[in-house]
Every structure is written in C-alpha cells, then in structure tokens.
Amino acid sequence: MSVIAVERIKLFTTRSPWWCMIIAAVLTIGLAALSTAFLDASDEAGATVFMTQGGAQLSQMVMMVMAALAVTTEYRFGTIRTSFQAVPQRAALLLGKTFVVAVLAGLVGLIASFGAWLVGSLLAGGADLSINTGAEWRLLAGQGIVFALSAVIAVAVGILIRQSAGAIAILILWPLLVESLFTLIPKIGDDMAKWAPFANGSSFLNQGQEMGLAGEFAGGSDYALSPWWALLYFAGWAAALMVLALLSASKRDA
C-alpha cells in the first residue's frame, strides 16, 4: 500500500496529470455539447446516447499520454533510479504506478462519459437520451474500463520505450492510424483489423448501439467477438504488454 501512496503523491505533484485530466474531460463533454446544442426538432428525434460520446476516443488518447508520461518522465530525469533503490522489487514499484494511473484514467473516463451524456441531455431537451438498454449502460460505464486498460497499455509502452516522444507517438498512431491501415493489406487486412486491440476496445463499447444521427456504420458493424469477449481480448493485450514491460525493466539498467 505504501508504494501506491508514494506513486499517488508523485503523480499529483506534477502539472501534466492535472492538465491531461482537464483536457480529457473537456474534450468529451465539450464535443457532446457541440453535437447536441444546435439540433433542431427533427434532429432531436433521431438523437441517441451514442452521439454524446463522440469525443471519448480523443479523451482516451489524452489519458494514454498522461499514463506514458508518468513513467517516461522518471526515466528522462533519472528519478527512476532513486525509486528502484527505495523499492528494489522493480515489478512491485511499476505495478503500483500502473495501478494508480489506471484508476485515475478510469475515473476520468467515467466522469467524462456520464458528464457528456448529462450535458447532451440538457442541451437537447427534446431528445430521448435516457439510458434504457444494457448496451447504453455498457457504452457509458464501459468508458471507465477502456480508459483504465488503455492506461495500462500506455504505461507498458512507456516502460519499454523509455522516451516520452517515442512512446507518445506510438500510442497516438497505433489506434488512430496503424489499425486503420490494416484494411489496406490485400486478403488478410480486414481480418487483421478485426483483431486489432483498440478496435476490440471500441467493439466492446459500440456493439448494439443505436447510432441515430451518427450514421449506421459510425461505431463499426463487423466485429470478431461479442462485447465482453472483445473486452477480455483487449485486457489480454494490456496484460501481455505489461508482462513484457516488467521483464524488460527487470533486466535493463535504469
């Protein structure tokens, strides 16, 4: 527990986590406000809970950047050596850091998703944005889970890369560009895209959603796994990367 307390203090004594939390919340809630504030009566009739979550992926990227910086900053300034001297069990230290960052990211994801839904409901007063189905609850509450697992992946990448710029570049390009490019590969590209980790994280959230004004294919329509299996698959990627990162940290010089 002392390791977790120390990592919590270390995280919150720097500015970047605070800025990332604010930006992540503002992105999701702000885009929800923009997407619902100017709907006319006919558009409000087609509005759905799904359309309030349009900024969630960008917020997820912001929290991944925060998670990566939580570890790469220590490598950059050499404070990780002091941390390893204080806690010789490197795995315990890094897992404590990962736990703190993942919990924080999960809380931000929940606040952002439900905040966006609330703002959308208030601004689009004529729309029925009540949460009526299990899929809609999964979309909103599931953001916290996806944010937390994304943060675990980000910490693992940070441990493996050790450099802020490189880790951030990978974490932004991987879900936003690389997975999209899989479809360009002949014959196997579509199958590769279905099994991409972040695509399955989105699959967990988006399956069964009523897209409404967002369009029939806004959340994707061709999934490899059912929602909860997709989440388990995404979690498996996070766990595998963290195991590789811990093995790397235990063998490399700080």
Side-chain angles (χ1 to χ4, degrees), residues 13-92:
T13 51
T14 57
R15 294 180 181 179
S16 59
W18 293 101
W19 280 111
C20 287
M21 287 188 290
I22 293 171
I23 293 171
V26 168
L27 277 173
T28 302
I29 296 173
L31 288 175
L34 288 174
S35 65
T36 56
F38 304 105
L39 297 177
D40 56 30
S42 61
D43 288 336
E44 285 183 350
T48 64
V49 173
F50 177 83
M51 67 179 294
T52 67
Q53 303 299 303
Q57 187 179 30
L58 293 176
S59 298
Q60 179 185 348
M61 297 300 103
V62 173
M63 294 309 296
M64 288 173 67
V65 169
M66 182 216 71
L69 289 175
V71 64
T72 58
T73 301
E74 286 213 60
Y75 278 106
R76 176 184 177 187
F77 292 105
T79 56
I80 194 70
R81 297 189 186 94
T82 304
S83 298
F84 284 157
Q85 289 174 355
V87 184
Q89 295 180 334
R90 296 184 177 187

Side-chain angles (χ1 to χ4, degrees), residues 145-196:
I145 303 174
V146 171
F147 272 53
L149 291 174
S150 298
V152 173
I153 290 175
V155 173
V157 171
I159 295 171
L160 290 168
I161 303 300
R162 298 190 176 193
Q163 295 181 347
S164 298
I168 291 171
I170 290 172
L171 292 170
I172 291 177
L173 293 176
W174 181 0
L176 294 181
L177 180 62
V178 174
E179 291 191 359
S180 299
L181 294 178
F182 285 160
T183 56
L184 300 179
I185 302 175
K187 297 183 179 180
I188 63 171
D190 289 340
D191 290 331
M192 289 178 63
K194 291 179 186 179
W195 291 100

